[in-house]
Amino acid sequence: MSSHSWFSFFQPPGRLTSAYQHLMALHWSMSWCYFCLFSTGLIMADLSREVPIRSGLYDFHKGLGVFVIGLLLWRILVLLRVWWKKYSRRTPHFSTTWWRKVTLHSLLYLFMLAVPLSGLFFSNSFKSSNVFFLGMTVPDLFSENEARVDLGRSLHFWLSYLFLAVVVLHVFQQRKVVRAIWRRWREFLTHIRI
């Protein structure tokens, strides 16, 4: 399957600018990353220290958290490009719907940054130089401080669940798009059955 046809599962019809496609590719890539982060976080929370994969799972989780921060910065640059293309020709219609969407998306972007940063805060507070990305140690953003470990753990936990609640709200708001994607997947799976 070509990348264009793969992307078409998630692409709403009629919005085919390259900047928008780039933004949507980042959107779906990041959504899968956050799904993996949330899933591994749930698993890690219940693992005892004796489980052999525990350390590797923590390293994967923290490295993926660093990766999504990088993707988020890239996504913000692409979003600014999309907004420039869209609103340099015309100003937005400042309706209640527009403000609701902007507020929800602003919250999503805030949580996309706050959740991995709170994870770094938790991890750095617990132990210095214990976050790795592509085999390299990520410089500490926060100093090691045993007194802040519980605060870091609580922040990371509650911000993650608040983020999940906002994501659920976003999915509900975009339910027509979600139904259209689900329909395309069902049609695709029907065609590939042997």
Side-chain angles (χ1 to χ4, degrees), residues 21 41 49 69 106 124 130 133 147 162 166:
Q21 285 182 337
R49 292 190 180 276
I69 291 172
S106 298
N124 291 165
N130 74 340
F133 180 67
L162 285 170
V166 175

Side-chain angles (χ1 to χ4, degrees), residues 62-63 66 120 123-124 128-133 136-140:
K62 291 186 275 190
V66 170
L120 287 174
S123 193
N124 291 165
S128 182
S129 302
N130 74 340
V131 178
F132 306 98
F133 180 67
M136 297 177 290
T137 303
V138 176
D140 293 340

Side-chain angles (χ1 to χ4, degrees), residues 83 87 92-107 173:
W83 272 47
Y87 294 126
H93 178 65
F94 297 109
S95 65
T96 306
T97 303
W98 187 87
W99 280 110
R100 211 176 7 238
K101 283 183 181 179
V102 167
T103 302
L104 181 61
H105 282 83
S106 298
L107 278 172
Q173 182 192 50

Side-chain angles (χ1 to χ4, degrees), residues 79-124:
L79 177 65
L80 292 173
R81 187 173 147 216
V82 168
W83 272 47
W84 174 257
K85 282 186 166 201
K86 185 174 183 177
Y87 294 126
S88 63
R89 291 182 227 134
R90 62 178 176 83
T91 57
H93 178 65
F94 297 109
S95 65
T96 306
T97 303
W98 187 87
W99 280 110
R100 211 176 7 238
K101 283 183 181 179
V102 167
T103 302
L104 181 61
H105 282 83
S106 298
L107 278 172
L108 284 166
Y109 276 81
L110 178 69
F111 281 116
M112 281 189 272
L113 181 61
V115 171
L117 280 181
S118 68
L120 287 174
F121 175 70
F122 172 35
S123 193
N124 291 165

